[in-house]
Amino acid sequence: MGESMQKARRRPIIHPLAINSLRHCLRVCRRGGGIDPGYRIHAASLLALPMLLAPLRAVERLWFGRRVRATDIAHPPLFIVGHWRTGTTHLHNLLAQDPGLAFVSTFQTLSPASFLTGLSTLRPLIARHVPDTRHMDNMPLSVDSPQEEEFALCNLTPYSFYVGWYFPRQMRELFHNYVLFDGASSQAREEWAEVYLGVLKKATLRARGKRLVLKNPVNTGRIRALLDLFPDAKFIHIYRSPYRVFKSTQRLHRTTFDMVGLQDIADGEIERNVLDFYRALMTRFFEDKALIPEGNLVELRFEDLEHRPMEELARLYDELALPGWAAAYPRIRAYLDAQPPYK
C-alpha cells in the first residue's frame, strides 16, 4: 500500500474489536494471521480497553444471561439479502420505520456482549466516535441506526466473514468457510449458530418481542443455514446492475480496510476477491432460493425501489403477507421526505 493511501486512512479512535473481550481479540488475531507491524500502535487499544470494559460484560451476563437464553423468537425474522451495494441498507432503513418491526442497531453490533447494561455509560462513549455518515458513501449513520448483525457476530466469534475486514488476507478462506459453509467444521457451524441465535435473542428481548428485520449481505449465501434455524423465515432479495455493484463494492472493501484493517492487502487482490465472491455468492443463492417456502420470498430491483418506493413496499408487504402496512405507510413516507440527496 502506498504512502498516500496510508495518509488517507480514516481510522476510528476506538477499534471495534477493542469494545469486546480480550479473549475474543486474541482468538481473532491468532486465527487472522496476526497484526502487520504498521498497525500495532493503532491496535494497542485491543489490549487495554477490553479489560476496562470487562466488568460491564460480567454484569450483563449475570443480570440478563438467563433472560436472554429464555427469550423466544416467536416471530420468524424478515431477512433482507442481496450482494453488498445493491440497496440493502436503503431497504433496511425503510422497513425499520415500521413500528411493528425491530432491528439490530449499530451500538448493539459494536458492543454485543454489553449493550443492555451499557446504554447509559458505553453508548455515549461510542456515539462520540461514530461518524455522521458511512465511510463508503454519504448515507447518515448513528449508534441507533439499523445495522448488519454480522458485525455483532465478528465481535463475538472468529467464525464470521466480517473478521476479514480486520484481517483482509484471510478473506478468501473466511468466505469459503463462513459464507458458503463449504469448509467449516461441525464445531465452527455449531458455534456460529449458537452465537447467531444469541444475538437475535438479545435483540428480541430489547425489542420486547417484535419481529426482527435483518439486513446482512453475507446471509445471501447462507439460505440453507438460516432455514435450519428459522424454517418459516421470510426473505427479501434486492438486486442491482452488477456493473454498478462491482465498482461500488471495490470502494467498500478498500475504504473499510483503510479504516479498521490490521493487515495490508493489494488492490489487485481486492479486485479478484470482489469478482470471485460475487460469482460464488449469487450462484449459491440461485441454487438455494428454491428451498424457501412459497410465499416467503420476494425479489426486488433496486432501481424500482428508488423510483417508486411506496408502490414496491406495498407489493412487498402484500406478497409476504406482512401485517402493519397501514401503520408503516405514514412513517416510511415521512422518512423518505426527510432524506437528503443520496449518491
Side-chain angles (χ1 to χ4, degrees):
M1 187 184 302
E3 182 180 357
S4 60
M5 184 60 73
Q6 292 276 0
K7 292 180 179 178
R9 286 199 175 98
R10 293 175 55 196
R11 289 221 169 251
I13 295 175
I14 301 176
H15 194 281
L17 270 179
I19 306 170
N20 299 280
S21 74
L22 180 59
R23 175 181 177 273
H24 177 65
C25 291
L26 295 175
R27 189 183 183 200
V28 168
C29 289
R30 183 173 65 252
R31 287 178 173 269
I35 299 170
D36 283 358
Y39 300 84
R40 288 174 185 167
I41 294 177
H42 170 71
S45 64
L46 298 183
L47 298 177
L49 197 55
M51 290 185 286
L52 293 175
L53 297 177
L56 203 59
R57 293 189 295 274
V59 169
E60 182 140 323
R61 285 194 301 272
L62 290 172
W63 283 6
F64 292 101
R66 183 175 297 178
R67 289 176 61 189
V68 170
R69 289 190 296 272
T71 296
D72 179 31
I73 304 177
H75 304 289
L78 172 60
F79 291 103
I80 298 172
V81 297
H83 194 278
W84 295 265
R85 313 305 296 148
T86 55
T88 54
T89 297
H90 180 48
L91 178 58
H92 197 203
N93 288 341
L94 291 172
L95 292 174
Q97 308 309 309
D98 184 337
L101 297 175
F103 54 84
V104 179
S105 73
T106 299
F107 175 54
Q108 291 175 27
T109 64
L110 289 173
S111 183
S114 54
F115 74 80
L116 292 173
T117 52
L119 284 170
S120 61
T121 53
L122 188 56
R123 181 188 168 281
L125 172 66
I126 293 177
R128 287 198 292 269
H129 301 294
V130 171
D132 295 330
T133 58
R134 301 195 308 174
H135 59 281
M136 79 290 284
D137 53 34
N138 66 343
M139 288 196 75
L141 179 66
S142 77
V143 288
D144 300 315
S145 300
Q147 189 54 266
E148 298 170 26
E149 74 276 8
E150 193 69 24
F151 287 108
L153 291 179
C154 80
N155 288 325
L156 291 170
T157 174
Y159 306 131
S160 165
F161 176 60
Y162 279 7
V163 170
W165 293 136
Y166 310 145
F167 299 97
R169 292 199 298 271
Q170 311 306 313
M171 266 201 142
R172 297 184 76 86
E173 180 180 349
L174 290 164
F175 181 88
H176 181 73
N177 289 346
Y178 309 124
V179 178
L180 305 181
F181 283 129
D182 285 345
S185 67
S186 58
Q187 177 186 350
R189 291 194 62 154
E190 289 172 6
E191 180 175 329
W192 172 85
E194 180 182 355
V195 171
Y196 196 34
L197 282 173
V199 168
L200 301 190
K201 283 187 173 188
K202 189 178 283 193
T204 300
L205 176 64
R206 170 68 179 157
R208 299 181 180 179
K210 291 182 181 180
R211 184 196 296 271
L212 296 175
V213 54
L214 303 167
K215 183 269 292 193
N216 188 349
V218 181
N219 280 340
T220 311
R222 294 175 176 160
I223 300 300
R224 289 175 182 266
L226 296 178
L227 290 173
D228 286 343
L229 297 176
F230 303 104
D232 297 322
K234 296 181 182 291
F235 294 85
I236 306 168
H237 172 226
I238 185 168
Y239 57 94
R240 185 185 183 197
S241 164
Y243 300 102
R244 293 182 179 274
V245 167
F246 169 68
K247 295 293 290 184
S248 192
T249 306
Q250 277 189 300
R251 173 173 170 77
L252 166 67
H253 278 233
R254 172 48 71 197
T255 57
T256 304
F257 295 148
D258 291 343
M259 176 171 278
V260 299
L262 299 171
Q263 293 175 341
D264 288 327
I265 183 172
D267 288 336
E269 187 172 353
I270 292 175
E271 181 174 317
R272 287 192 297 276
N273 285 349
V274 171
L275 288 169
D276 291 346
F277 295 168
Y278 183 97
R279 182 185 302 110
L281 184 77
M282 300 315 301
T283 297
R284 178 59 56 88
F285 175 74
F286 294 140
E287 290 172 351
D288 290 350
K289 73 174 185 175
L291 300 172
I292 301 172
E294 185 177 355
N296 284 0
L297 169 66
V298 168
E299 298 195 81
L300 176 65
R301 290 179 69 244
F302 169 74
E303 292 81 2
D304 293 339
L305 180 66
E306 188 176 36
H307 294 135
R308 47 178 188 275
M310 302 310 294
E311 292 87 345
E312 287 298 300
L313 289 172
R315 177 179 71 86
L316 184 156
Y317 272 74
D318 179 59
E319 293 186 15
L320 291 175
L322 290 174
W325 175 242
Y329 181 95
R331 292 175 179 245
I332 294 173
R333 181 73 269 171
Y335 169 81
L336 281 169
D337 292 342
Q339 293 312 295
Y342 168 70
K343 182 177 181 180

